[in-house]
Amino acid sequence: MRATQYYAPTLRQAPAEAEIPSHKLLVRGGFIRPLTSGVFTYLPLGLRVLRRVEQVVREEMNRAGALEVFMAVLEPKELWERTGRWDSFQPQPLRTEDRTGRWFCLGPTHEEVITDLVARDVSSYKQLPLTLYQIQTKFRDEIRPRGGLIRVKEFTMKDAYSFDIDEAGLARSYQAMYEAYVRIFARLGLATLVVQAEAGSMGGSDTREFMVLSDSGEDTVFVCDKCDYAANAECATSRLPEADSETEPADDYQRVDTPGATTIQAISEMLGTPPTKLLKTLLYRADERFVAALVRGDRELNEIKLQRATGADELRMATAEEILALTGAPVGFSGPVGLPDEVEIIADREIEFLGNAVVGANEADAHLVGVNVSRDFAVSRYADLRQAAAGDPCPQCETGRLATRRAIEMGHIFKLDTKYSEDLGALYTSEDGEQRPMVMGCYGIGVSRALAAIVEEHHDDAGIIWPLEVAPFGVVILLLDPENAKLAAVAEDLLTQLEAAGYEVMLDDRDERPGVKFKDAELIGYPLIVVVGRKTAESGEVEVRRRQDSAEEVVPIAGAVATLQELAEEA
RNA sequence: CGGGGCGUGGCGCAGUUUGGUUAGCGCGUUUGACUGGGGGUCAAAAGGUCGCCGGUUCAAAUCCGGCCGCCCCGACCA
């Protein structure tokens, strides 16, 4: 390819709206252009990278035994009603209506379509296991797009679905996908951390996310400094403390006046009690009922965990009016002692070890001190409710401490079990003649997001540094003086030779100053740079340079291809 | 949706507080010349509904009201 015949508009300055490196560089380098919030156009360079990432994913999925299909973007409402997700999927899918008034959604995911497909065509255990995947445009009405390609409303995703006869089969399919993912991310040049996570809108278990650590990421993960424990903040936990043996139970709890002390900090200061000896009582509305969630005073409640513990579809904090009606006290003085029976008390496991605690008195401007679990109030059940915090002891090993990192979620694998196969009738006849629901797994990769993650991980002040595997062109030839016919001929010849050697090559034959060409080459991030310039005219030599580390060799023209190959292989 | 910021030639910005000539600057673009190893120089030129609608005023980029769009922080996810 020749630059004079290409469309790669580079920008000297980043658009004002871009903040993270990948967003700035992908726009500056002429890979993408914004259309509207959360929607981008891919220019020729960007499309090339996207296709190369897709190809890596495709090859590894195929190698793992998965079969590619291509499903429709339009998904009929009736299908989604069968799984109950037409109304419950969050954020609500983008919807559209045809001229007869029939509703569709623009597919945010394809469990319904694939399960319906397989339900129709697969009926015997002999046809299983089966893993199908597609690489396709997904639409999600994101509440807030952000970070260039990190979070958008329309994006390319690889989604795969496995169908097995039983749990053991699912475990094998799942493992195959896990291993495929490891290979995919390695080839893409992404160092990933596999973390425990939640399944979100899809529902499921054994959820693992493949995370790329990056300050530009929107997820927080907790990692242990001693062992391999790693978990998304939404489900990370910490080791439980030893029983509080030094605290002898008080004879009875006492009521104390705490005028105006509605916060943990205020009570702590007023009573001279550390927050770890306080007990936070948080009232929530869980569907049609109320629950009181108890966590230690120094802890934050993790609402995802509470929602999971309650099994509620909708969970929200109780309003001030509801709290007053339930407890008889304003916000800030709720406590577990003397709550109405209809309020279920769910306590974080950590507070089981708390003796002589301070709690709200369910009375304005008063707290109770010396309160003890079981003796003074009944916990209906214990669950892991607390938000992990940096510095917490690791739940998995003896001595480790947790630290937080920012991360980009690149892939997500989880077990769906039989939810969708039951709802959509994906049954098979087993060897012993029984009808059973297929056991499913689900596996996603954010293909377009991978562009952002790769750039986040592979760039410097000058621009992008594409790994050879995904580079839009592996090599750029910089013809520094295109007016010089001799040099132009050398460059043309190199172009032919390199293409014959299997490289995709860009020849920068524009009538631009050398400086412009160097800057653009570095911004765009070609992994290998061949310079045809003054040295070529003087001594018949060209420079072969590697973008990632600026390693450079000056060699006779005839040796250029071999030298370039060496540099590529060492990379 | 809550909070914050921003909208002025293609890109980045100044001007708005305190209304007042013909709306500026850098980059980019076009033409010509020079130049040809790190975004070069000189000369000339094109390119603007100052986000939109309405209001105030002799006069609005500037003041007032409404709306739209974009970005950042929070709840959602590949």
Side-chain angles (χ1 to χ4, degrees):
Chain A
M1 183 54 65
R2 288 168 181 77
T4 48
Q5 290 159 31
Y6 208 62
Y7 178 48
T10 54
L11 265 33
R12 200 157 174 173
Q13 280 161 306
E17 70 267 15
E19 295 212 341
I20 66 172
S22 63
H23 188 188
K24 288 182 187 170
L25 292 173
L26 287 169
V27 173
R28 279 191 60 207
F31 294 86
I32 57 172
R33 288 289 182 264
L35 177 60
T36 185
S37 181
V39 183
F40 287 88
T41 297
Y42 287 80
L43 276 50
L45 283 175
L47 184 62
R48 273 188 165 255
V49 179
L50 188 71
R51 292 287 182 251
R52 300 204 59 140
V53 172
E54 288 175 8
Q55 192 53 30
V56 169
V57 172
R58 185 172 280 121
E59 286 171 15
E60 294 301 335
M61 291 302 289
N62 292 347
R63 189 201 304 266
L67 296 166
E68 186 169 9
V69 295
F70 191 69
M71 289 178 268
V73 164
L74 287 178
E75 302 188 31
K77 176 185 179 187
E78 302 79 61
L79 200 49
W80 280 67
E81 285 181 327
R82 289 170 66 189
T83 56
R85 294 209 294 179
W86 181 257
D87 294 313
S88 68
F89 192 91
Q90 291 298 323
Q92 188 182 80
L94 290 159
R95 294 174 175 184
T96 187
E97 201 181 359
D98 73 7
R99 68 189 191 290
T100 67
R102 192 170 168 224
W103 282 94
F104 300 83
C105 66
L106 301 180
T109 182
H110 281 76
E111 282 83 6
E112 278 79 2
V113 176
I114 197 94
T115 309
D116 180 61
L117 176 83
V118 172
R120 290 168 192 278
D121 292 324
V122 176
S123 50
S124 164
Y125 74 94
K126 293 177 187 170
Q127 295 166 284
L128 298 174
L130 184 63
T131 296
L132 301 174
Y133 76 98
Q134 67 170 344
I135 295 172
Q136 202 235 26
T137 303
K138 292 281 190 278
F139 295 84
R140 291 193 187 167
D141 194 4
E142 292 296 340
I143 303 165
R144 185 163 84 82
R146 72 181 93 185
L149 293 183
I150 297 272
R151 179 162 222 83
V152 288
K153 292 163 100 85
E154 177 177 338
F155 60 100
T156 304
M157 177 177 174
K158 186 286 298 175
D159 48 321
Y161 307 89
S162 66
F163 298 84
D164 278 277
I165 60 168
D166 56 18
E167 289 290 335
L170 171 58
R172 283 190 294 276
S173 297
Y174 179 93
Q175 185 62 23
M177 286 297 108
Y178 188 111
E179 287 163 14
Y181 275 35
V182 169
R183 288 195 297 268
I184 287 167
F185 294 124
R187 284 182 63 183
L188 296 180
L190 292 173
T192 50
L193 177 71
V194 182
V195 307
Q196 298 174 20
E198 287 284 330
S201 312
M202 316 303 164
S205 61
D206 271 351
T207 295
R208 294 290 181 279
E209 289 170 339
F210 287 73
M211 294 288 198
V212 172
L213 296 181
S214 164
D215 289 338
S216 301
E218 17 169 37
D219 285 87
T220 300
V221 297
F222 282 84
V223 293
C224 176
D225 61 3
K226 291 286 196 307
C227 74
D228 63 358
Y229 179 80
N232 192 306
E234 64 200 15
C235 69
T237 189
S238 56
R239 188 148 45 88
L240 290 170
E242 301 295 320
D244 197 348
S245 57
E246 291 180 17
T247 308
E248 289 295 312
D251 291 342
D252 203 352
Y253 60 77
Q254 307 281 318
R255 180 191 170 288
V256 294
D257 287 326
T258 52
T262 58
T263 65
I264 290 291
Q265 191 189 348
I267 300 154
S268 176
E269 284 169 8
M270 190 175 289
L271 302 178
T273 310
T276 51
K277 295 293 287 178
L278 306 184
L279 212 164
K280 219 186 262 187
T281 304
L282 299 156
L283 292 162
Y284 275 82
R285 177 90 179 172
D287 293 338
E288 298 307 310
R289 61 205 176 92
F290 288 99
V291 299
L294 307 186
V295 295
R296 214 170 61 187
D298 60 319
R299 290 293 187 181
E300 294 298 322
L301 173 76
N302 179 323
E303 290 192 1
I304 299 166
K305 291 179 177 180
L306 179 62
Q307 179 154 20
R308 183 174 256 240
T310 57
D313 291 325
E314 283 183 41
L315 184 80
R316 62 165 175 80
M317 289 194 83
T319 63
E321 293 72 33
E322 287 167 341
I323 290 171
L324 186 63
L326 281 171
T327 69
V331 176
F333 298 98
S334 301
V337 180
L339 278 178
D341 289 342
E342 70 262 27
V343 179
E344 186 191 6
I345 297 179
I346 305 178
D348 181 60
R349 295 185 201 288
E350 204 172 53
I351 71 127
E352 197 171 358
F353 303 94
L354 198 57
N356 292 337
V358 176
V359 305
N362 293 325
E363 178 189 335
D365 299 326
H367 278 75
L368 305 178
V369 301
V371 170
N372 285 274
V373 185
S374 299
R375 188 193 68 183
D376 302 323
F377 64 93
V379 167
S380 85
R381 62 200 156 105
Y382 288 96
D384 178 31
L385 297 181
R386 65 196 178 281
Q387 179 70 54
D392 277 353
C394 174
Q396 184 174 283
C397 70
E398 291 297 314
T399 57
R401 293 275 162 182
L402 298 182
T404 57
R405 296 281 167 70
R406 298 292 287 176
I408 302 169
E409 181 186 348
M410 279 310 311
H412 197 174
I413 61 176
F414 50 96
K415 296 178 178 173
L416 293 169
D417 296 311
T418 57
K419 170 180 166 45
Y420 295 96
S421 46
E422 284 173 14
D423 286 347
L424 295 162
L427 309 176
Y428 70 95
T429 306
S430 68
E431 203 168 354
D432 51 16
E434 299 231 359
Q435 293 275 101
R436 298 204 184 109
M438 297 175 201
V439 183
M440 294 174 57
C442 178
Y443 318 92
I445 288 179
V447 173
S448 44
R449 178 182 282 176
L451 269 65
I454 293 167
V455 176
E456 289 295 329
E457 200 156 304
H458 300 278
H459 73 271
D460 60 17
D461 290 345
I464 302 171
I465 308 170
W466 292 110
L468 196 53
E469 183 93 70
V470 297
F473 292 90
V475 186
V476 64
I477 300 169
L478 302 186
L479 174 56
L480 297 189
D481 182 4
E483 304 279 289
N484 183 323
K486 249 185 186 170
L487 295 184
V490 169
E492 291 284 343
D493 189 45
L494 276 172
L495 173 64
T496 308
Q497 284 184 47
L498 285 165
E499 284 181 340
Y503 288 96
E504 301 210 78
V505 187
M506 173 65 77
L507 168 58
D508 193 347
D509 57 346
R510 296 175 300 167
D511 181 20
E512 291 286 353
R513 304 275 305 180
V516 173
K517 298 190 179 191
F518 283 116
K519 292 287 186 194
D520 270 351
E522 284 157 6
L523 173 62
I524 290 169
Y526 305 99
L528 297 159
I529 302 168
V530 178
V531 184
V532 176
R534 182 188 289 153
K535 286 190 190 123
T536 317
E538 289 170 354
S539 60
E541 290 175 310
V542 297
E543 288 145 62
V544 184
R545 193 182 295 181
R546 190 161 57 198
R547 173 73 175 88
Q548 68 183 56
D549 54 5
S550 301
E552 180 180 292
E553 308 241 3
V554 181
V555 296
I557 296 164
V561 176
T563 303
L564 185 130
Q565 252 153 356
E566 283 165 26
L567 279 175
E569 278 161 23
E570 286 168 20

